[in-house]
Amino acid sequence: MRKPASMRGLEDLGRVRLSKNFFLRDFLHSEIGSLYGISNIPENPDLAIAAGKRLCEELLEPLEATFGRLHLRSGYRAPALNKFGNENNLNCARNEATAANHIWDLRDVEGYMGATACVVVPWVWDRYQEPGDWRRLAWWIRDHLPYASLQFFPKLWAVNITWHEHPTKEITSYAEPRGILTRPGMANWKEDHSALYDGFPPLKS
């Protein structure tokens, strides 16, 4: 599939169904794009669709089935849009670091495919807002879903959840306590975490 060059073409691209409940159009909104007039359209739609399907089918669908409707904060970023965001301090990393992450249609330096979406899980935020409560969701995802990496933020416990062909399984946070929560090799990696998310619903698929 080529990058759309017409309104009809963009409509057709947006209607591509990535999973039961998610379409590509759900992930194309960008505040940067809206404010600065930069299009957020995949350069390589086939790669974006392939990566997006894995993200939605393996991570977002189970999350939504278990906790109810997700709030999508951000998803796909076109290379030009992400570059602008990085150069203007708009919370975007360099394209090289964001490839196979928010830039779904660009493989990383090692040739791997990946996709990231920043989501809020209202079920969790509505119940757990004490400092550090983001860790409850982090450990639940760690124990139930095949994520590649997680990165949490203070507002609404938003999380960058990533599917990637070469997962690191690292969980980090900008919310307190900041830094690395866990990754393979750390002492807490193999512990029983179930008590840390007591009261959470069981995984639904």
Side-chain angles (χ1 to χ4, degrees):
M1 184 181 294
R2 294 181 179 179
K3 178 181 178 179
S6 67
M7 180 64 185
R8 186 176 298 277
L10 183 56
E11 282 184 333
D12 290 341
L13 179 62
R15 289 172 178 147
V16 172
R17 196 170 189 174
L18 301 178
S19 64
K20 177 182 177 181
N21 292 296
F22 296 99
F23 292 78
L24 185 57
R25 188 178 189 275
D26 299 328
F27 300 91
L28 299 183
H29 172 72
S30 165
E31 283 87 356
I32 294 173
S34 297
L35 186 61
Y36 296 98
I38 304 172
S39 68
N40 195 37
I41 303 172
E43 299 285 340
N44 184 342
D46 289 333
L47 182 56
I49 291 167
K53 282 187 174 182
R54 300 295 295 272
L55 170 68
C56 292
E57 291 172 351
E58 298 183 27
L59 299 175
L60 302 189
E61 288 289 358
L63 270 180
E64 186 155 293
T66 302
F67 294 102
R69 182 68 179 269
L70 301 180
H71 168 51
L72 298 177
R73 283 288 300 116
S74 66
Y76 171 79
R77 293 182 196 155
L81 182 144
N82 189 81
K83 184 174 185 291
F84 178 90
N86 174 253
E87 293 174 347
N88 290 275
N89 299 314
L90 298 174
N91 296 323
C92 296
R94 293 176 299 104
N95 281 16
E96 294 81 359
T98 312
N101 190 276
H102 276 295
I103 305 178
W104 300 4
D105 57 336
L106 189 63
R107 294 181 181 272
D108 66 18
V109 294
E110 296 180 335
Y112 292 112
M113 175 177 70
T116 293
C118 185
V119 304
V120 170
V121 183
W123 187 97
V124 175
W125 177 253
D126 290 345
R127 291 164 174 79
Y128 303 102
Q129 297 182 19
E130 295 299 316
D133 271 353
W134 62 269
R135 292 173 293 184
R136 298 174 184 268
L137 179 58
W139 286 119
W140 187 95
I141 295 174
R142 154 68 179 86
D143 289 351
H144 292 87
L145 298 180
Y147 72 98
S149 64
L150 303 174
Q151 185 175 54
F152 283 82
F153 301 93
K155 292 183 180 179
L156 306 175
W157 304 146
V159 55
N160 275 351
I161 183 167
T162 300
W163 176 87
H164 194 276
E165 288 182 305
H166 187 63
T168 66
K169 309 300 288 186
E170 185 173 85
I171 302 177
T172 60
S173 179
Y174 286 104
E176 297 295 340
R178 295 165 60 96
I180 299 173
L181 175 65
T182 193
R183 63 186 174 193
M186 287 181 64
N188 63 4
W189 178 255
K190 293 185 178 181
E191 294 175 358
D192 179 7
H193 313 113
S194 58
L196 302 176
Y197 50 82
D198 184 49
F200 274 46
L203 174 67
K204 296 179 182 179
S205 59

